[in-house]
């Protein structure tokens, strides 16, 4: 869920950047040098923001992958424990059956 939200944020920001770049290209023809510098700085900040979001998204992917691996390990462990418990229960059933048989003979 977090991954999807980050991806959506990233896409929204990239779309916004694209629109803003287009708008900037048209405005730049009429702006003074100072305004140009401010716009470049703003664009650079947006690039850094997108980069940061992408980095966070990668970290979330890694965390999700690690959680998935942990879950699979837990499932396997649980499955092994269940199988051991079933074997033990079956052994006890056999033992009880033998005891009943022995008691019936006496």
């Amino acid at each position: 869920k977090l991954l999807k939200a980050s991806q959506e944020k990233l896409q929204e920001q990239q779309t916004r950047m694209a629109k803003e770049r287009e708008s900037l290209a048209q405005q730049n023809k009429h702006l003074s040098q100072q305004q140009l510098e401010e716009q470049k700085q703003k664009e650079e900040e947006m690039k850094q923001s997108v980069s940061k979001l992408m980095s966070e998204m990668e970290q979330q992917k890694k965390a999700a992958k690690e959680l998935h691996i942990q879950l699979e390990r837990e499932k396997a462990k649980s499955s092994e424990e269940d199988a051991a418990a079933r074997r033990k229960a079956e052994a006890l059933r056999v033992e009880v059956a033998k005891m009943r048989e022995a008691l019936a003979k006496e």
Side-chain angles (χ1 to χ4, degrees), residues 13 17 20-21 24 37-53:
Q13 197 152 13
M17 273 185 65
E20 199 160 318
R21 279 190 185 137
L24 289 177
E37 290 302 318
E38 289 171 2
Q39 292 297 339
K40 284 180 185 177
Q41 184 179 349
K42 188 174 181 182
E43 192 171 313
E44 187 57 39
E45 288 169 2
M46 288 185 75
K47 283 181 186 176
Q48 289 174 358
S49 180
V50 168
S51 178
K52 183 180 173 190
L53 272 175

Side-chain angles (χ1 to χ4, degrees), residues 48-104:
Q48 289 174 358
S49 180
V50 168
S51 178
K52 183 180 173 190
L53 272 175
M54 289 178 75
S55 173
E56 288 173 2
M57 198 170 77
E58 278 303 310
Q59 288 175 340
Q60 288 175 353
K61 277 185 189 177
K62 286 178 185 175
K65 196 173 193 177
E66 186 57 39
L67 283 174
H68 180 71
I69 290 168
Q70 277 183 306
L71 178 63
E72 291 301 315
R73 285 185 191 140
E74 290 297 321
K75 280 183 188 176
K77 182 179 174 186
S78 175
S79 183
E80 289 170 17
E81 289 170 351
D82 289 349
R86 283 193 295 276
R87 286 192 297 275
K88 191 172 184 177
E90 185 57 32
L92 288 173
R93 278 193 284 275
V94 170
E95 198 175 313
V96 167
K98 286 180 183 176
M99 291 171 97
R100 283 186 181 151
E101 204 174 294
L103 284 173

Side-chain angles (χ1 to χ4, degrees), residues 9-35:
K9 271 188 193 176
L10 181 61
Q11 211 164 11
E12 287 174 18
Q13 197 152 13
Q14 286 175 332
T15 303
R16 261 186 284 148
M17 273 185 65
K19 288 179 182 175
E20 199 160 318
R21 279 190 185 137
E22 181 62 33
S23 173
L24 289 177
Q26 293 173 0
Q27 292 174 15
N28 281 346
K29 297 173 188 174
H30 310 292
L31 294 177
S32 70
Q33 187 60 33
Q34 181 184 0
Q35 290 170 316

